Amino acid sequence: RFLVSGDDGSSWDLLQAESQAFWTDAGFDAAHGAIVLVGHNGDVLRSADGGQSWHLAAVAIAGRRAFLAAVHFDERSRTLLAVGEGGTVARSGDGGATWTQASADVREGLKGLVVARERLVSFGAGGLVVSSGDSGSRWSHDRVALENPLREIAVAPGGALLASSSLGDLIRSEDGGLSWRVLPVDYPNANTPPDLRMLLPSPKGEVMIAAGPPGAILRSNAEGSAWQVVLWNDIEAERAFPWMLADRA
């Protein structure tokens, strides 16, 4: 099931797809005017008429489906890319109707997909970071040791890449993910660092905000290179912030 709105979010309609998928991400194919959702079972739900009608497709590499974690429209190739478990990197040139394997360079599970300095960057368990400079056909593995269980990755207002971990770490890259630097954060209690599940730009796009259990909110400077804790809750308070949304109206 999923929700659609035709009035900028004032009201919503609940729709049922012909799939039992848990939808993990959504994207928009600007070349075909298609809205695309990807699911945990390899299903793809697409609409080419602004959400009026929906059609089911699937990503199956060598006859096998995988958990799809993210979908992204690549401006350079004018195609959709989907990544997921088992090193899945799939491409669609027809608005999500059909998919083919884009690359076999990655074997590890991939959790997300962003663009930084004309490079595609994805990440996975154990601090894995991979990047591609040719629209996802070839991928290079980050050679810097990252012993961080990464939670989220995002592009800062100035173009740098930022990644957060479940142990409160924030790391930053200025070269499209080729190298990373750990950023210092002064937590009130270093023994209970926050699980930074969310990273996103502020509504005006001038700084970055990070948040997560047990109830921490952090704010960066304009470059995303320095961070301060603006709200802190001790773990005993049981006030978690697992999600965050930016109201850009």
Side-chain angles (χ1 to χ4, degrees):
R1 297 186 295 176
F2 58 102
L3 295 166
V4 297
S5 173
D7 53 11
D8 293 327
S10 296
S11 62
W12 295 83
D13 294 321
L14 179 63
L15 301 182
Q16 176 67 55
E18 295 179 3
S19 170
Q20 298 300 314
F22 169 74
W23 305 114
T24 56
D25 196 20
F28 179 71
D29 186 330
H32 298 87
I35 305 169
V36 177
L37 284 69
V38 295
H40 81 287
N41 59 356
D43 277 356
V44 176
L45 193 63
R46 57 185 296 272
S47 172
D49 55 12
Q52 297 299 312
S53 62
W54 296 84
H55 305 279
L56 197 61
V59 174
I61 306 301
R64 300 183 62 182
R65 297 189 181 197
F67 185 111
L68 300 177
V71 62
H72 173 78
F73 178 70
D74 178 58
E75 291 283 356
R76 181 185 297 177
S77 64
R78 306 293 286 175
T79 62
L80 284 168
L81 285 171
V83 300
E85 291 301 317
T88 298
V89 182
R91 186 189 310 279
S92 173
D94 55 9
T98 60
W99 297 80
T100 58
Q101 186 176 32
S103 175
D105 290 344
V106 183
R107 292 182 177 273
E108 303 91 341
L110 299 175
K111 308 296 186 184
L113 189 60
V114 296
V115 178
R117 302 188 186 278
E118 299 185 353
R119 291 185 69 84
L120 291 167
V121 180
S122 187
F123 67 96
L128 169 74
V129 178
V130 295
S131 62
S132 170
D134 60 1
S135 297
S137 295
R138 291 171 295 183
W139 294 80
S140 59
H141 284 66
D142 181 10
R143 299 303 179 186
V144 178
L146 295 173
E147 297 179 356
N148 296 312
L150 299 184
R151 273 295 201 175
E152 185 64 282
I153 191 167
V155 182
L161 273 174
L162 289 166
S164 61
S165 85
S166 61
L167 297 176
D169 293 307
L170 286 160
I171 57 176
R172 185 173 183 269
S173 171
E174 296 181 347
D175 53 13
L178 296 178
S179 61
W180 295 82
R181 179 172 64 91
V182 178
L183 303 176
V185 181
D186 185 17
Y187 289 120
N189 187 345
N191 295 320
T192 58
D195 179 0
L196 296 177
R197 300 183 184 182
M198 291 298 299
L199 265 178
L200 82 168
S202 64
K204 293 183 179 180
E206 80 278 24
V207 299
M208 294 292 291
I209 308 294
I217 298 178
L218 286 68
R219 189 177 190 271
S220 78
N221 60 356
E223 295 78 26
S225 58
W227 290 77
Q228 62 177 337
V229 178
V230 296
L231 181 65
W232 179 267
N233 286 283
D234 289 325
I235 194 169
E236 294 81 7
E238 298 183 353
R239 295 184 62 188
F241 304 119
W243 301 106
M244 211 169 27
L245 294 173
D247 184 359
R248 306 187 190 282

